[in-house]
Amino acid sequence: MAKLSSRARTWRLWLLLLVPLGFVVVVWQSALVARDQALQTLRSEAENELRLSAAGLEGHLSRHDYLPELLASREVVQRFLVSPEQQDPMPVNLLLDHFRETADVSDIYLLDRDANTLAASNWYLPNTFIGQNYAFRSYYQDAIAGRQGRFHGLGVQSMERGYYFSAPVMLDDGNHDPDGVMVVKVLLDTVEDSWADQSAELLVTDQDDIIFMASRPELRLTALSSLSDSEREALLATRRYADEPLPPSGIKVLETRRDQSLLVSFSQGPLKGEEYLLLTRSLPEFGWNMHILKPQLPVRRAQWQAALLAGGFFSVALFAGGFGWQRLRLRREREQFAERERQTLARARDELELNVERRTRDLVDSNRRLSAEIEERRRAEANLRQTRDELVQAAKLAVLGQLAAGINHELNQPLAAIRAYAENARTFLARNRLETVDANLEQVVELTARMAEISAQLKQFSRKSGDNLTAVSVPACFDYALRLYQTRLSAAGVVVERHWPDQDVWVRADLVRLEQVMVNLIGNALQAMSDTTEPHLALSITPHDHEVHISVADNGPGIAEEHLKRIFEPFFTTKSSGTGLGLGLSISSRIIDDLGGHLEASNQPGSGACFTIILPTSPETVITSVHRDAQESRPHA
């Protein structure tokens, strides 16, 4: 009995040692497994939220990417930048303010070649950008070098955080260097406000690990880690964050996991003592990193739940033999608990699916808006092209008005002759001189044919051009233009000199549009020589390797040197009031640009002006029947 009692006491001692030890081991291992599973789930949720937030930030910023380049191409901006000191900047200010309101951006401003602000959308505010110099900003340095500029930082005047887009402003003056810079500023507060509804903290850091965007205002303009003196001086030199102290955020890494996630806490500030799961996503387009901080409260809750479950299961297993009747009840409780857990997981899964669906719907709406903006821009380009074609047609009709006097003179002579022949025919018919009547009628037929050729010239010139570029004979275009002005040339006694090779010269162009430009240039030359005693018109064609130079020169008074740079501007004219709108040379220059060439103006050494068309050459090939018919069906004077 003593041995049995001693053995029983020994077993009881072992049981007293093993039961608590087993309980501790089971609870500890269960808590570790639950922690790993909860962290994996938390990481998956954080990764989804981070991906959607990053896409939202990229979409918010990228939708304004086109705006600086669009404004830089506006005619009113380029015309103002040619001579800003001689023009009123108010039209440009109003234009920039209109686009700022329409595009929902913070500010839009125009810099000249030296980074001085010439016009701004906030021209009416006390802290306007006009007069400020931004040569130290990288967005100016990138754009003035001919590239698209991107920059983020604090505004010098407003001290507001923003993202800047810039584009070079190129003028059609033959200079390949930018003449100015267009800048658009977008505020970042709207994106941060959308982050406030999430169950996580979001941060965005730049290449210097400065937090310049955060869902928590306390974390904005802080550094992930303490900055050295050299790093702080470098940031102050760029003026990216003005004179902000940029204190450390207090983030402390507790553990680096195998899946590249971090467990962190804060050693200071309002988040002190809280532990988070940190994930990072790179935004290479902007050179940023986006971070998400998910609270570890669900992890701790899962650990406690796992520990309690493990302890419960251990206790059930321990007391199962002695408490059989309790086993059934405990099993029922476990099933009920498991059902609650499944329902909880199902609800969590449904909520996650709803969140994903909502984010996807937002992205689809953003894509739809972007598509609508693209379509609107296409319609605007089509309207611009239609307006340009209508201006070309209007210019052609204006030239027709100038040609009307000469055509009227040429038509009056045949009409008078037809009337005389008809009256004589009636007289000879009465005298029964049929042969003489037949001869008179033959003369009437010839005269009507000549009138048809004269009217065909007007019909040919007034037709609209096409969009297909083909091989065009330059001498044939000159011959056609000279036939239109034959009467004016003869009346004014103009000597026409032709300088081109004996063989035909071909360019790649549109037949009708090239003829329209030549008619316009010859008409301008005739008008310039109206007061010249011995007018000379020199037409030349000079082939080169891959292009052809087509020149129209006169011996008139020439073009003033101060007008040479503006001669191709719309509505600029040296003619007296009421004799022209100044659209002829502008439209001609635009037509040659559309044909892949360019139009130049210069003064001759002696006297007179010279306009040169430069077009790409086209090898002499077999011309299509349509093109041949168009060339051969021209009327001959």
Side-chain angles (χ1 to χ4, degrees):
M1 291 295 296
K3 291 181 179 181
L4 291 174
S5 177
S6 176
R7 190 177 296 129
R9 284 196 299 270
T10 302
W11 277 107
R12 282 197 294 269
L13 290 175
W14 277 108
L15 286 175
L16 290 175
L17 291 175
L18 292 176
V19 169
L21 181 61
F23 182 86
V24 171
V25 170
V26 169
V27 170
W28 176 54
Q29 289 296 325
S30 299
L32 288 180
V33 172
R35 179 177 181 271
D36 289 340
Q37 293 178 348
L39 285 174
Q40 290 178 3
T41 302
L42 190 64
R43 185 188 186 285
S44 178
E45 295 176 359
E47 188 174 16
N48 290 332
E49 293 181 16
L50 181 60
R51 183 176 65 255
L52 293 174
S53 299
L57 176 59
E58 291 176 344
H60 177 75
L61 295 179
S62 299
R63 67 176 181 175
H64 304 295
D65 184 77
Y66 74 94
L67 191 54
E69 187 174 1
L70 174 63
L71 290 173
S73 64
R74 299 285 293 190
E75 182 179 343
V76 64
V77 174
Q78 295 188 356
R79 186 167 59 248
F80 172 74
L81 201 58
V82 171
S83 55
E85 65 278 358
Q86 301 177 5
Q87 301 185 53
D88 183 13
M90 190 54 62
V92 182
N93 289 332
L94 296 175
L95 174 69
L96 299 183
D97 188 41
H98 172 70
F99 272 87
R100 176 201 61 78
E101 183 178 4
T102 303
D104 193 20
V105 297
S106 175
D107 300 289
I108 306 176
Y109 47 101
L110 174 65
L111 309 180
D112 64 8
R113 189 176 297 166
D114 299 322
N116 296 312
T117 306
L118 302 178
S121 60
N122 60 356
W123 55 273
Y124 54 88
L125 297 179
N127 59 344
T128 178
F129 297 164
I130 297 178
Q132 299 294 323
N133 186 281
Y134 295 99
F136 60 92
R137 290 298 200 191
S138 63
Y139 61 72
Y140 162 75
Q141 299 165 6
D142 292 339
I144 205 66
R147 304 184 300 271
Q148 300 289 330
R150 301 290 183 270
F151 180 79
H152 69 277
L154 291 179
V156 176
Q157 296 292 320
S158 63
M159 298 302 291
E160 294 180 326
R161 292 167 301 127
Y163 192 80
Y164 300 79
F165 299 90
S166 65
V169 182
M170 309 292 291
L171 301 182
D172 295 332
D173 55 0
N175 183 16
H176 298 291
D177 296 327
D179 293 271
V181 174
M182 183 66 67
V183 185
V184 175
K185 178 181 179 183
V186 180
L187 295 181
L188 304 174
D189 297 336
T190 304
V191 181
E192 289 178 330
D193 294 339
S194 66
W195 294 347
D197 298 331
Q198 298 190 21
S199 61
E201 306 297 336
L202 290 170
L203 315 173
V204 177
T205 59
D206 62 7
Q207 61 273 15
D208 298 316
D209 287 336
I210 302 300
I211 303 174
F212 66 95
M213 292 183 66
S215 55
R216 285 270 186 159
E218 300 86 358
L219 296 177
R220 297 168 189 167
L221 298 182
T222 61
L224 286 180
S225 58
S226 299
L227 299 175
S228 62
D229 294 339
S230 60
E231 292 174 338
R232 194 176 298 277
E233 291 175 0
L235 287 173
L236 288 176
T238 62
R239 301 294 297 167
R240 184 186 295 273
Y241 301 113
D243 297 325
E244 291 294 326
L246 304 178
S249 60
I251 295 179
K252 180 174 60 176
V253 179
L254 303 178
E255 179 184 348
T256 301
R257 294 175 53 80
R258 289 176 296 179
D259 56 7
Q260 304 303 317
S261 61
L262 301 177
L263 301 182
V264 300
S265 66
F266 285 84
S267 59
Q268 60 186 23
L271 303 180
K272 181 179 181 181
E274 296 289 337
E275 294 183 2
Y276 297 89
L277 173 69
L278 187 145
L279 288 182
T280 302
R281 184 181 182 89
S282 176
L283 303 176
E285 182 179 354
F286 306 97
W288 300 342
N289 287 320
M290 192 170 190
H291 314 271
I292 186 170
L293 296 171
K294 292 287 288 186
Q296 292 193 44
L297 181 62
V299 177
R300 290 195 294 270
R301 186 183 300 115
Q303 283 183 282
W304 280 108
Q305 290 177 352
L308 291 174
L309 285 173
F313 288 139
F314 186 85
S315 300
V316 169
L318 180 65
F319 296 103
F323 301 93
W325 64 272
Q326 291 182 348
R327 184 169 56 187
L328 182 60
R329 187 186 64 182
L330 290 175
R331 185 175 63 183
R332 187 183 301 112
E333 291 178 355
R334 286 198 302 269
E335 291 174 354
Q336 293 175 354
F337 183 82
E339 181 61 23
R340 288 195 299 271
E341 285 298 309
R342 284 194 295 271
Q343 293 177 358
T344 301
L345 291 175
R347 286 194 298 270
R349 184 179 63 253
D350 294 339
E351 291 177 359
L352 179 60
E353 291 176 354
L354 289 175
N355 290 334
V356 171
E357 182 181 357
R358 183 168 60 253
R359 300 293 182 184
T360 304
R361 186 168 56 253
D362 293 341
L363 288 176
V364 171
D365 292 340
S366 299
N367 289 335
R368 187 179 297 109
R369 288 193 297 271
L370 287 175
S371 299
E373 292 175 3
I374 292 172
E375 184 63 27
E376 183 178 356
R377 184 173 181 181
R378 288 175 179 172
R379 288 196 297 269
E381 291 176 351
N383 291 335
L384 179 61
R385 189 179 302 107
Q386 181 181 0
T387 303
R388 182 199 64 196
D389 293 341
E390 291 176 354
L391 285 176
V392 171
Q393 191 68 9
K396 288 163 55 180
L397 295 178
V399 174
L400 285 177
Q402 298 176 2
L403 298 175
I407 299 299
N408 182 50
H409 177 71
E410 291 201 18
L411 290 178
N412 282 335
Q413 291 180 349
L415 282 174
I418 289 172
R419 181 176 180 179
Y421 280 123
E423 290 176 351
N424 291 338
R426 293 180 61 185
T427 303
F428 291 136
L429 186 62
R431 297 176 182 178
N432 202 21
R433 296 176 59 182
L434 300 180
E435 294 181 356
T436 307
V437 172
D438 182 69
N440 285 357
L441 293 178
E442 183 178 359
Q443 292 295 326
V444 170
V445 172
E446 292 179 358
L447 290 172
T448 55
R450 179 182 175 186
M451 293 176 64
E453 291 181 355
I454 295 173
S455 63
Q457 295 180 13
L458 290 177
K459 180 179 180 181
Q460 184 73 13
F461 183 73
S462 62
R463 74 190 190 281
K464 291 190 176 180
S465 61
D467 294 329
N468 296 327
L469 302 184
T470 59
V472 177
S473 171
V474 181
C477 290
F478 266 138
D479 292 341
Y480 172 71
L482 291 174
R483 285 199 299 271
L484 286 179
Y485 286 108
Q486 182 179 5
T487 302
R488 290 181 60 183
L489 291 171
S490 301
V494 178
V495 177
V496 181
E497 300 177 0
R498 296 174 173 86
H499 304 284
W500 54 70
D502 294 335
Q503 66 274 16
D504 212 344
V505 181
W506 300 85
V507 295
R508 182 169 177 80
D510 177 67
L511 176 64
V512 176
R513 286 188 282 177
L514 181 56
E515 289 175 347
Q516 292 165 4
V517 174
M518 289 184 176
V519 169
N520 188 30
L521 295 181
I522 293 176
N524 289 344
L526 294 178
Q527 189 169 6
M529 297 186 296
S530 59
D531 297 329
T532 303
T533 56
E534 295 181 357
H536 280 75
L537 179 65
L539 309 178
S540 63
I541 304 173
T542 307
H544 288 268
D545 293 338
H546 301 290
E547 59 188 18
V548 176
H549 290 205
I550 309 167
S551 300
V552 177
D554 60 69
N555 62 343
I559 305 172
E561 292 296 330
E562 63 270 16
H563 295 160
L564 276 175
K565 293 184 178 180
R566 302 184 59 194
I567 197 68
F568 296 115
E569 292 183 5
F571 303 106
F572 176 81
T573 179
T574 57
K575 302 177 184 178
S576 59
S577 177
T579 59
L581 296 177
L583 289 175
L585 288 177
S586 174
I587 294 174
S588 297
S589 177
R590 182 61 62 86
I591 289 175
I592 298 302
D593 289 342
D594 291 345
L595 296 179
H598 57 279
L599 179 60
E600 298 177 353
S602 61
N603 286 317
Q604 298 191 97
S607 64
C610 179
F611 288 86
T612 302
I613 302 171
I614 301 176
L615 286 173
T617 186
S618 177
E620 183 178 355
T621 57
V622 178
I623 311 174
T624 62
S625 61
V626 176
H627 184 67
R628 185 186 298 111
D629 293 342
Q631 299 262 1
E632 294 179 353
S633 63
R634 302 298 174 83
H636 298 281

